[in-house]
Amino acid sequence: MSMPTAGRLSFRTVFGGPGIPGEVITELKRLQTELRGLEWGYDYDLFVTVGGDLTVVSEPTGLQRPRVRLATRTVSGELRYNSADVLRAGQPAALLRGGLLDALEELVARVAARDVEFDVDTERARLASLRDGGPA
């Protein structure tokens, strides 16, 4: 049986109100574009909620409801950004990138715990490079 070698990262985003700074929206779109072309070991699908003045996210920024589906080589979850952090973000790029990479690291660890054939070292190296601001 042939295993697929390249997955993709996709995310859908809900913004929590008109008070969210335009830089946050722009930066999230830029980050999505940057990561779209990378090849991953699994398909990663994130539902991203950016808390704001209407949809308030009071818990800390982080991943919720992670799910690994071995048969389809898909991993998913909801990444929720804390409203207060978003509304007063001095550096939206750092906030958004850090939250996204933390969520992906958690998903990689979950896949590694369940799939012995998963190349966790390559995935972690890619994430480390992205965290360091290196080439994708």
Side-chain angles (χ1 to χ4, degrees):
M1 175 168 74
S2 173
M3 292 288 247
T5 58
R8 62 182 177 82
L9 169 64
S10 62
F11 52 94
R12 295 157 284 136
T13 308
V14 172
F15 293 99
I20 294 175
E23 299 84 25
V24 170
I25 296 168
T26 302
E27 182 57 32
L28 191 57
K29 186 62 177 172
R30 189 199 64 73
L31 188 55
Q32 184 177 18
T33 301
E34 174 189 343
L35 300 177
R36 181 181 303 142
L38 298 180
E39 293 184 354
W40 301 86
Y42 264 59
D43 283 329
Y44 293 89
D45 181 33
L46 288 172
F47 183 80
V48 180
T49 301
V50 180
D53 46 348
L54 296 179
T55 302
V56 177
V57 177
S58 57
E59 65 269 5
T61 294
L63 182 69
Q64 297 186 8
R65 296 177 200 73
R67 250 183 120 173
V68 177
R69 289 177 287 299
L70 297 176
T72 59
R73 297 184 60 80
T74 304
V75 59
S76 62
E78 181 180 354
L79 173 57
R80 295 175 55 92
Y81 286 94
N82 177 280
S83 297
D85 293 344
V86 169
L87 293 173
R88 61 173 184 247
Q91 297 183 330
L95 172 71
L96 297 169
R97 187 178 202 88
L100 179 60
L101 294 176
D102 288 349
L104 288 172
E105 284 177 358
E106 188 174 333
L107 292 173
V108 164
R110 287 179 173 272
V111 172
R114 296 197 47 209
D115 184 350
V116 296
E117 295 180 11
F118 179 62
D119 187 355
V120 67
D121 294 332
T122 297
E123 216 81 328
R124 285 184 176 149
R126 178 178 298 108
L127 289 170
S129 175
L130 290 168
R131 195 170 290 281
D132 293 339

